[in-house]
Amino acid sequence: MNEKREKAAISKTIGKEELFELILDSATDYAIFTTDPRGLVTSWNSGAERLFGFSEEEIVGQSGDLIFTPEDRVAGAPEEERLRAFAEGRAMDERWHMRQNGSRFWASGMMMALKDPSRGFVKITRDRTEQHEAERRLRESEERFRLLATNIPQLVFRALDDGQRHWSSPQWGEFTGLGLDESQGFGWLDAVHPDDRDPALQAWQEARATGEYYHEHRIRRADGEYRWHQTRARPIETPDGSNSEWVGTTTDIHALKRMQGRQQVLLAELQHRTRNLLAVVMSVANQTIRTSPSLDYFRAEFESRLLALSRVQGLLAQGDQNRADILELVSAELAAHVHDTDQPDKVRIDGPAAPLSASAAQTMGLAVHELATNAVKYGALAQPGAKLTVTWTIEEAHNRPWVRLEWRETGVRMPESGTPLRRGYGRELIERALRYQLDADTRLVFGPDGVSCIIVLPVDTWAGAEV
């Protein structure tokens, strides 16, 4: 009872207008002022003074339109706001306003007609510049993200931390043929190769702990072809720190995968070639030692044969698919021995394209080297007037194609006893090693006017891929 009497006493002591003024003065975070129907300010609280800079003495009786920007005043924004407030009872207002010093801020407010409209209006507004700028930056950030995500070649997506997607860039739809609705949630898995779906989801479980998603898997293109892709994603830190949203990209790495596979094949080929080359070098060394009368002779002969092997390796490195063409092999070997340009018709080389595998090229290179060295020392490349012809053809025999190479020296003055080829090494290489290693048919003849050598190789020896 005492409490009720106290409230009644207070109500009688403080009038409604005085209570209203007390509320206005205490609302320092809000600018609250009233105007007459023409817009002239009739009251001005401390919040309005703090926000706009005008004191009550300076602004009362002046037009409230002063708080609008010049361009809004020219456009009639103050009058339009009063008309809406009068017609509808209130008018919401979000726009730039001006302080007394000319600076601007983003204001969010409302104008309401007083209970007696003939007395004018009351306006309540608040500085929302910080929030407005934050929203602007967010919109700009979202727009930059949208422009980036829709213009880069990668497939961009936004997902929850368990892998469920709620947005995919247009590139994803164009590539997979799946629409946005079809890709929502776990619908995107429909484009993933069936064997890669469980690993892709398992990677999402692991990403929760590591803070990064990384996985390589196959994705079906709209035409049905599966291509390898690399997917990466990271969480976006949210205000509550939940990191529940992730942004990621999916990049086509199909060509890279093929290159890696090819690299593995090339590495295996290189290892095979290295072992094979070492075996050839050891064989050449042993054969040269066996036929060398002195260490100096061995050094010269062994170096010469190693240089021949080096030339073959150079051709293999430049050639396609680890092969060397017979024309390049013969030309390179003769170029290393023939330096006399005064006799352009002394050597003739002719034949169709015939690529040799690495192992065949190494053995054939040594054989041509032995023939050329013998010709330089004793035969057509040593005697004026003598000539050398190297030709080859591709023929059919025994239901398979063969390449037939003929080395023919003419006009050579041969000694009565003949000339053994390279003290036995060259003859053994041509007549035994070629037959054993390349399944070749060979014939070496020391004729009355020079050396003649025929080498016939089956096509599967010189055209087969080196593995």
Side-chain angles (χ1 to χ4, degrees):
M1 294 294 292
N2 292 335
E3 184 177 350
K4 290 182 178 180
R5 283 195 294 271
E6 289 177 1
K7 289 183 178 179
I10 292 174
S11 297
K12 292 178 181 178
T13 305
I14 303 177
K16 290 184 179 180
E17 292 187 2
E18 185 178 359
L19 182 61
F20 178 68
E21 291 179 1
L22 288 173
I23 293 174
L24 291 185
D25 288 338
S26 63
T28 57
D29 289 338
Y30 292 86
I32 304 175
F33 62 93
T34 58
T35 68
D36 66 12
R38 297 173 299 168
L40 299 179
V41 177
T42 56
S43 68
W44 189 260
N45 81 329
S46 59
E49 183 175 342
R50 182 186 64 82
L51 187 58
F52 291 103
F54 294 98
S55 66
E56 185 177 14
E57 292 76 13
E58 291 174 318
I59 195 67
V60 170
Q62 301 295 321
S63 173
D65 298 356
L66 290 174
I67 66 172
F68 285 81
T69 62
E71 56 269 28
D72 280 348
R73 291 199 296 270
V74 170
E79 293 85 354
E80 191 272 336
E81 186 178 61
R82 288 192 291 271
L83 286 174
R84 281 192 294 116
F86 181 79
E88 301 173 12
R90 65 177 60 195
M92 305 303 296
D93 178 43
E94 291 209 4
R95 65 177 72 243
W96 291 103
H97 277 322
M98 294 189 64
R99 296 185 177 90
Q100 186 183 32
N101 62 9
S103 63
R104 299 188 179 199
F105 67 95
W106 184 263
S108 175
M110 176 177 63
M111 175 174 279
M112 296 179 294
L114 293 173
K115 189 173 183 179
D116 179 3
S118 65
R119 296 182 59 190
F121 307 92
V122 59
K123 181 164 183 174
I124 305 172
T125 191
R126 189 179 185 186
D127 186 352
R128 304 289 290 179
T129 305
E130 184 176 344
Q131 293 84 347
H132 177 72
E133 287 298 307
E135 291 171 358
R136 180 188 61 80
R137 289 192 296 269
L138 179 61
R139 288 194 301 272
E140 291 178 353
S141 177
E142 289 284 346
E143 179 64 15
R144 285 194 295 268
F145 172 80
R146 187 190 65 81
L147 289 173
L148 177 65
T150 56
N151 286 282
I152 61 176
Q154 284 82 3
L155 316 179
V156 187
F157 63 89
R158 300 174 77 163
L160 302 178
D161 59 1
D162 61 354
Q164 294 191 67
R165 297 186 182 180
H166 57 82
W167 181 85
S168 298
S169 65
Q171 299 95 306
W172 168 266
E174 293 172 5
F175 183 85
T176 63
L178 295 178
L180 180 60
D181 292 340
E182 296 174 290
S183 302
Q184 294 284 69
F186 291 113
W188 60 274
L189 284 170
D190 183 59
V192 177
H193 193 283
D195 295 342
D196 299 339
R197 291 172 185 172
D198 287 342
L201 288 177
Q202 180 60 36
W204 274 107
Q205 300 302 317
E206 297 170 357
R208 287 180 173 179
T210 62
E212 179 180 11
Y213 182 88
Y214 175 88
H215 190 63
E216 293 182 359
H217 51 147
R218 289 160 290 182
I219 296 178
R220 185 185 64 245
R221 199 164 58 186
D223 61 5
E225 178 188 355
Y226 282 97
R227 294 182 64 84
W228 280 100
H229 284 73
Q230 180 187 93
T231 298
R232 290 179 177 271
R234 284 184 176 274
I236 298 176
E237 187 173 349
T238 55
D240 60 3
S242 62
N243 295 336
S244 59
E245 184 176 22
W246 292 56
V247 174
T249 59
T250 297
T251 305
D252 190 325
I253 59 169
H254 198 75
L256 178 61
K257 279 285 189 181
R258 294 182 63 180
M259 289 176 60
Q260 289 174 341
R262 177 60 180 161
Q263 186 180 45
Q264 293 299 319
V265 173
L266 291 176
L267 181 59
E269 291 178 353
L270 178 60
Q271 292 172 339
H272 175 77
R273 279 183 55 189
T274 301
R275 290 192 298 267
N276 184 54
L277 181 59
L278 289 174
V280 172
V281 171
M282 290 177 63
S283 176
V284 170
N286 290 333
Q287 293 292 334
T288 306
I289 289 174
R290 193 176 65 180
T291 57
S292 297
S294 67
L295 184 60
D296 289 340
Y297 185 90
F298 166 78
R299 181 171 58 248
E301 296 295 291
F302 186 61
E303 180 181 349
S304 176
R305 287 161 183 163
L306 284 184
L307 289 174
L309 280 175
S310 175
R311 286 189 286 272
V312 173
Q313 296 306 312
L315 293 176
L316 291 172
Q318 298 172 10
D320 180 38
Q321 297 182 349
N322 198 28
R323 299 176 185 176
D325 193 85
I326 287 182
L327 175 61
E328 295 174 338
L329 188 147
V330 172
S331 300
E333 193 56 41
L334 290 178
H337 294 85
V338 179
H339 307 289
D340 188 0
T341 58
D342 296 334
Q343 303 181 63
D345 298 329
K346 191 175 187 64
V347 178
R348 184 174 74 88
I349 303 173
D350 185 46
L356 297 172
S357 66
S359 58
Q362 289 173 165
T363 306
M364 279 294 293
L366 286 172
V368 173
H369 173 73
E370 294 301 315
L371 290 168
T373 303
N374 186 77
V376 168
K377 287 192 173 185
Y378 312 109
L381 300 181
Q383 299 181 19
K387 292 186 178 182
L388 169 64
T389 301
V390 185
T391 60
W392 59 92
T393 58
I394 297 178
E395 304 172 351
E396 286 285 336
H398 309 293
N399 297 320
R400 63 190 301 187
W402 298 69
V403 60
R404 176 189 176 92
L405 181 143
E406 182 172 355
W407 177 286
R408 184 75 176 94
E409 298 179 36
T410 57
V412 178
R413 297 187 303 276
M414 298 289 287
E416 294 181 2
S417 60
T419 303
L421 185 64
R422 301 287 279 163
R423 291 184 175 270
Y425 173 79
R427 175 170 293 193
E428 182 175 348
L429 174 67
I430 293 172
E431 295 181 339
R432 296 183 59 185
L434 284 176
R435 292 182 179 183
Y436 174 74
Q437 295 181 17
L438 306 182
D439 193 24
D441 184 17
T442 63
R443 185 170 59 131
L444 178 64
V445 178
F446 291 89
D449 64 343
V451 174
S452 174
C453 180
I454 297 175
I455 302 173
V456 182
L457 299 173
V459 166
D460 57 356
T461 296
W462 56 264
E466 190 76 5
V467 179

